[in-house]
Amino acid sequence: MIAFDAVGRGEPLVLLHGVGANRGIWRYVTPRIAAERLVLAPDLPGFGDSAPVGAGFRLDKTAGALADVLAGRVTAPFDLVGNSLGGAVALILALQRPELVHRLVLVAPAGFSPSPKLVSAAAGWLSEPVIVSRRLLGSPLMGSEIARRVLLWGAVAAPQRLSAQDARAMLQASRGSTRIGAAVAAVLRADLSGKLARLELPLGLIWGARDRIVPIATLQSILAVRPGAVVETIPGAAHVPQFERPAEFVAALRRVLDRL
């Protein structure tokens, strides 16, 4: 079962989240778009309230499971937006089922800086206990500006500006996820440049200028493969601009889609 929120009416727009998050990471984006479009935000398989697909985490199986569910939920091709891990899954889905996707927008996508197998395996092994510990131990500390800076470093450019409630929501977004480590290992091993070169759909890219998790330098690697991609950067934002600066993110997304 894949859990998702569906809000609004009109042309469908699908939003895919990253590692350590769930569909709630789009909570400030969805209301801004749902007045004019049908917005669907699923939990990736193995994250949030969605059951995993088989053992471990495979990008192709994850994309296939999402495609099957979305094909039964919407009747028209949808615009597909993916952040981080969700960007990697979105690219695979668009390649597997191009008839389902109208335009593809990748937001600081993972999968373009492959790591050696041992490194990716170690990162996967470490990431799950780190994220779980951060959620359990860090959530009560989110009233502290210092704690927000330490625990949300890299994901958010200015965590001290987040409310304690929003900071706590970011940490709690990993609750229920069972494939964090496997997904981290899988996406760190991936080299999606070759797959991107085969993509025939219109492509947009959005990046937080202060992203430390998937640095904006990665953008140049992607543009070397797809020089015609439409690009928007968001100053003062990091890896999850849709949560940190939702108004700027929605404006950037609209500009990208208009240009595509």
Side-chain angles (χ1 to χ4, degrees), residues 79-243:
D79 289 327
L80 181 58
V81 179
N83 174 220
S84 193
L85 171 67
V89 173
L91 173 58
I92 301 299
L93 191 159
L95 287 168
Q96 288 179 344
R97 302 287 297 275
E99 77 281 3
L100 295 180
V101 181
H102 183 204
R103 295 169 290 193
L104 177 65
V105 180
L106 304 180
V107 184
F112 291 92
S113 300
S115 299
K117 186 174 182 179
L118 287 177
V119 173
S120 60
W125 183 77
L126 288 170
S127 60
E128 189 147 356
V130 167
I131 289 174
V132 170
S133 298
R134 187 182 67 164
R135 183 183 76 237
L136 296 177
L137 301 177
S139 292
L141 305 176
M142 287 298 95
S144 162
E145 179 180 309
I146 294 175
R148 293 199 296 275
R149 286 187 178 190
V150 171
L151 294 174
L152 296 176
W153 182 90
V156 176
Q160 70 275 13
R161 296 181 184 173
L162 290 181
S163 68
Q165 181 179 1
D166 280 349
R168 195 170 294 115
M170 288 195 71
L171 297 188
Q172 290 296 319
S174 64
R175 182 185 295 276
S177 298
T178 60
R179 293 295 186 268
I180 292 172
V184 168
V187 81
L188 285 179
R189 284 196 306 270
D191 184 357
L192 300 181
S193 296
K195 295 184 182 300
L196 182 65
R198 301 202 307 270
L199 182 75
E200 297 182 356
L201 296 169
L203 176 66
L205 299 163
I206 299 177
W207 231 284
R210 295 176 61 188
D211 192 338
R212 296 183 180 91
I213 294 178
V214 181
I216 197 168
T218 308
L219 176 60
Q220 300 309 315
S221 301
I222 295 176
L223 289 175
V225 178
R226 285 292 299 263
V230 174
V231 178
E232 285 279 340
T233 58
I234 302 178
H239 194 55
V240 283
Q242 69 270 33
F243 194 85

Side-chain angles (χ1 to χ4, degrees), residues 52-65:
V53 180
F57 185 94
R58 286 180 51 178
L59 292 171
D60 57 346
K61 288 189 174 182
T62 298

